Structure formats: structure tokens, C-alpha cells
Amino acid sequence: MAGHLDGPADRLTRRLRGALRRDARRLLAAGPPTLPMLVVGPEVPDDSRVQEVLDLAMRIGEVLLSSGESVDEVTATMLSVARTGGLPAVDVDITFTSITMCCHRGRVAPPVTSMRLVRYRALDLTRLAAVREIVTNLESGELDVRRAAAALSTATQAAHPYPRWVATAGWALLAAAIAVLLGGAPITGLIAFVVTGLIDRAGRLLNRWQLPTFFQQVVGGLLASLCTVGLLAAGAFPPGARPSLVVAASITVLLSGLSVVSTVQDAITGYYVTAAGRVAEIGLLSAGLLTGVVIGLKVGFQVGVVLEVSGDVSASAGQFGISVAAGAVGAAAYALAGYAPLRTLPLAGAAGAAGWGVYILLTHVAAAGPIAATGVAAVVVGVFSGLLKRTTRVPTLVVTLAGITPLLPGLTAYRGFYQLAVQGVAEGLVTVTLALAIGLALAAGVALGEFITRDRHRQPGPTPVPALTNDPQDAERQ
């Protein structure tokens, strides 16, 4: 009889069972839970999504870096693309020939890292403009990641917008304009046009044979000096002409392919490894150009033909307008040779005219030195391109590279090469160092001009989404 008594323990057991049954019925009826749910962080993107966004960002970075953009600009663009694609915690590392990108996903998933090698350097300003347009449309929401990747594939696989002979004509026209703005006669400009066209076609053939760029520079400098020596010996230049301007113009064209501006910008913004790599490339290619020119001058000495060094740039009042017009034509010709969109040619010409006009005024009116005058003129070009970046969708690099081309120290470099070949190493090194200083002033001036006009209220990318973590405290801290 005692086993059937209703004791306190039995009553407590029945109450607990009843409570559990009621809770179970509530759960089955999708009612509110009796215990708080475990709080987790934002959803972590899966591997396929991360790889899709990283691949798009790295392909865009590859195009920008191969086109000569600075590492700071490439990094900012890649981070913006990643944030737009939903990856807020991303690191980018660029070392001249390689791009590494890592996406961090908190503690719930391992990071995803991808690397891409940049094995080529290609100047196609239309492709650069198309990629910039894709990035802008992606950031504004007009394109999603997949459609942006498809548009990028179309842009990178498309042929050049102009035939190859148009680019050759652009380089040749650039040389002719440089010869005229340096004070050469029309016949000197015509000869520079023909010689530079020959150099470009020879370089095209050597590039097809995969000859290293150093030897292409040697061949280019050799052709520039040998062709001028041969034409001078044949009497192609009238009395009073300045044959050495043909070599100076050709040197300017060959120097225009060097990434001097990007090198200085990388050094200024703290990307020293990439800047060092670019410096090594510039030094090697300049040495190749020096070798070719000096060999050609030595051959001329052996046959009794001497290309004397021309004087400084003439600046009479009557020639000022012609000189500025030649600077505009040269800048537009560079943009054409770089396959820039046709709508950007007038802007490139305006930048070239402004920069060269300021240089002439400072050197011949204000009596400024070549380094200071070049730096101030480059600031003007940088300000002009920076304002265009804020008001239009024209890529800054298009206007910058074209605008500084008339300011490249082609004549000073040739004078240094001539002195190395004739007057001794000491004097020649001084002049070559002056040419290097002018190039540095040119690049630093452009960087300063673009910094002055930078939009400081513009965000580098979309507002970051919450950090990817499963720890509420970590999410709150980040």
C-alpha cells in the first residue's frame, strides 16, 4: 500500500513531465522557444563566391598594372571591387610582376588566397578606359559580379580599336612633332617621322620574335643614330638644319614607353618593392638605348660623319605658337599610338599644349632652370588630369602620359649620350644625371598635381558590410 502513496517526489516528476510536454507542443507548433537561440555572426560567403569575386578583382588589377597604373591606384580599385562583391576583409599585395589577394572569413572558415602573375606590359588605352567603365558600373550597381566578369572578358579579348599601322603613324607623328617643338625645320620633322616609323616596324618584328626588350631598345637607338648618319652623309639635310634633333625625337619616343611616373608614384606612396622593380626596368632599358645610340655615333665617327649636339630649345616670340601647337599634336599622337579612344585625343592635346607652354614660359621668360620648369609644367598636367578625373570618366593615365610626353628629356639625354661617346665619361654622366633629374621632376610634379585635385570626400569603395565572424564580441569590435 505504501508504494501507491502520492509523495512529493512523484508530484514533482509529474509536473516536470507536464512542463516538458507543453514545451514540446509549443516547439512543434512553431511557437517561440523557451531558451534564447545562440547568436551567430553574418553569413560567411562560400568558396565559390569568394573565388568569383577574387578572380574578377585580380583580372582587373592585371589590366591596370600592365597598362602602367601605379600600385596605389591598382590596390584601391581591387579593394573597391572586392567590397562591392561582398568581401569586406581583403588584403592585396602587389610586387611589380605578381598580384596576391587574400579574403579573410573570420574564425568559421579558412581564408582564401589567390595569386596572379603579370607577364606582359601592353599599352592599350581603349582597353584601360573600358575596364574603368566596368569598375564604375559595378560600383554603381549597374552590373553584378558575373556580368562584370563577362564584360571584362569581352574587353580584354577584343582587338585593338585601330589597325597596327595607325599606331605606327602615331609614333612617327609624335617624333615629327617633337622635332618641330625643339626648333627643327619641317624637313627635320619629316625625316624624324620616317625614321621613327622604321624603328617602330622593326620593334614590332623583333617583338614577334620574342627578343628581350633590352635588345629592342638597343636596336631602336642604333637605328635612330645610324639612319640619321646615313641621311646626313647622303645630303638629305639642307644647310642650317639640325640633324641631331632627329635622334633626340626618336629617343623621346623610345623613352615614352618607360613607366617613370608610376615609379615615382609608387615610391611616394610607400610601395618600395614595386618602385625598385620599376627603377631596375627603367635603368636597364635606358642602358640599352644608350648602347644603341653610342654605337651608331661611333660608326658615324669612323666614316667621317659627326652628329653635333644641337643647342637648347628656341623660344622666339614667332615660334612660341608653333612650338605649343607641336606639343599639342605630339601629345595627341601619343594617345593615338596608345590606342586611346578618339574622344580623348583633344583632351590629350590640350594637356600637352598646357604643359609645354608653361615650360617654355618658365625657361625663357622667367629664366627658370630645366628641372624646376619641368616640375611646374608637370604639376599643371597633373592638375588638368585630376580635374578631368573628377568631372569625367576619362582615365587619368590617358591624359597624364600624353601630356608629359613633350616634356620628356629626349634632347638632354641625347646630349649626354653624345658626350659619353665623344667628350669623356665625366661630362657625359653629368648630363645624363641631369636628364634623370628632369624625369624625376616630371613624375613628381604629376603626382603632386593629382594629389592637389584629389576628391577627399570620395569614399574608396562601398560601405563595408559587417565583419565575417561567429563571435558577437569580435563583430562588435570590428
Side-chain angles (χ1 to χ4, degrees), residues 81-472:
V81 171
R83 285 191 292 267
T84 304
L87 308 182
V90 174
D91 290 328
V92 176
D93 181 44
I94 299 177
T95 56
F96 186 48
T97 57
S98 66
I99 302 175
T100 303
M101 201 168 186
C102 178
C103 174
H104 303 279
R105 297 186 289 176
R107 300 179 182 177
V108 297
V112 178
T113 302
S114 182
M115 187 182 74
R116 196 177 190 93
L117 296 179
V118 182
R119 301 181 181 275
Y120 65 94
R121 294 289 186 270
L123 183 63
D124 190 332
L125 299 177
T126 293
R127 180 183 302 166
L128 179 63
V131 172
R132 285 294 183 189
E133 189 74 16
I134 292 172
V135 173
T136 301
N137 292 337
L138 180 66
E139 293 175 344
S140 64
E142 298 179 20
L143 292 176
D144 57 18
V145 173
R146 292 188 177 180
R147 288 194 297 166
L152 180 62
S153 298
T154 301
T156 55
Q157 296 173 5
H160 292 308
Y162 318 126
R164 187 62 183 82
W165 65 266
V166 174
T168 299
W171 293 122
L173 183 60
L174 170 59
I178 295 297
V180 172
L181 68 83
L182 291 177
I187 185 63
T188 305
L190 178 61
I191 294 176
F193 182 94
V194 175
V195 171
T196 304
L198 176 62
I199 293 173
D200 182 73
R201 300 311 299 181
R204 172 78 170 174
L205 179 62
L206 296 176
N207 189 55
R208 189 179 305 168
W209 292 346
Q210 298 183 350
L211 184 71
T213 311
F214 171 80
F215 297 107
Q216 294 185 33
Q217 289 288 97
V218 173
V219 173
L222 182 62
L223 286 176
S225 54
L226 281 183
C227 289
T228 307
V229 166
L231 292 172
L232 180 60
F237 292 93
R242 303 164 68 183
S244 60
L245 293 182
V246 175
V247 184
S250 300
I251 290 176
T252 301
V253 172
L254 294 172
L255 288 175
S256 65
L258 305 183
S259 54
V260 179
V261 174
S262 299
T263 302
V264 175
Q265 288 178 336
D266 290 343
I268 291 175
T269 52
Y271 296 93
Y272 301 115
V273 175
T274 304
R278 292 186 191 270
V279 167
E281 181 186 52
I282 293 173
L284 184 64
L285 298 183
S286 299
L289 182 59
L290 166 64
T291 302
V293 172
V294 171
I295 291 176
L297 292 176
K298 292 288 188 180
V299 172
F301 297 155
Q302 294 298 321
V303 298
V305 179
V306 179
L307 288 176
E308 297 181 355
V309 181
S310 299
D312 294 330
V313 180
S314 60
S316 62
Q319 292 180 335
F320 177 78
I322 297 176
S323 179
V324 173
V329 172
Y334 176 88
L336 180 64
Y339 301 105
L342 292 177
R343 60 185 174 86
T344 64
L345 298 187
L347 298 175
W356 184 253
V358 170
Y359 175 82
I360 289 295
L361 291 176
L362 290 176
T363 53
H364 295 89
V365 177
I371 298 177
T374 301
V376 174
V379 171
V380 173
V381 175
V383 169
F384 182 77
S385 61
L387 292 175
L388 287 178
K389 183 178 182 179
R390 296 184 60 175
T391 57
T392 67
R393 290 190 175 184
V394 176
T396 305
L397 194 65
V398 175
V399 178
T400 300
L401 294 180
I404 67 172
T405 299
L407 299 170
L408 289 172
L411 182 59
T412 305
Y414 170 69
R415 183 179 291 112
F417 297 166
Y418 179 86
Q419 291 171 349
L420 286 173
V422 179
Q423 301 176 2
V425 175
E427 189 173 354
L429 287 179
V430 172
T431 307
V432 171
T433 303
L434 176 61
L436 177 61
I438 293 174
L440 292 176
L442 186 62
V446 169
L448 178 60
E450 293 182 351
F451 176 80
I452 292 173
T453 56
R454 179 179 298 177
D455 187 0
R456 290 164 178 79
H457 299 288
R458 178 180 179 269
Q459 297 295 328
T463 303
V465 300
L468 301 175
T469 175
N470 67 336
D471 189 339

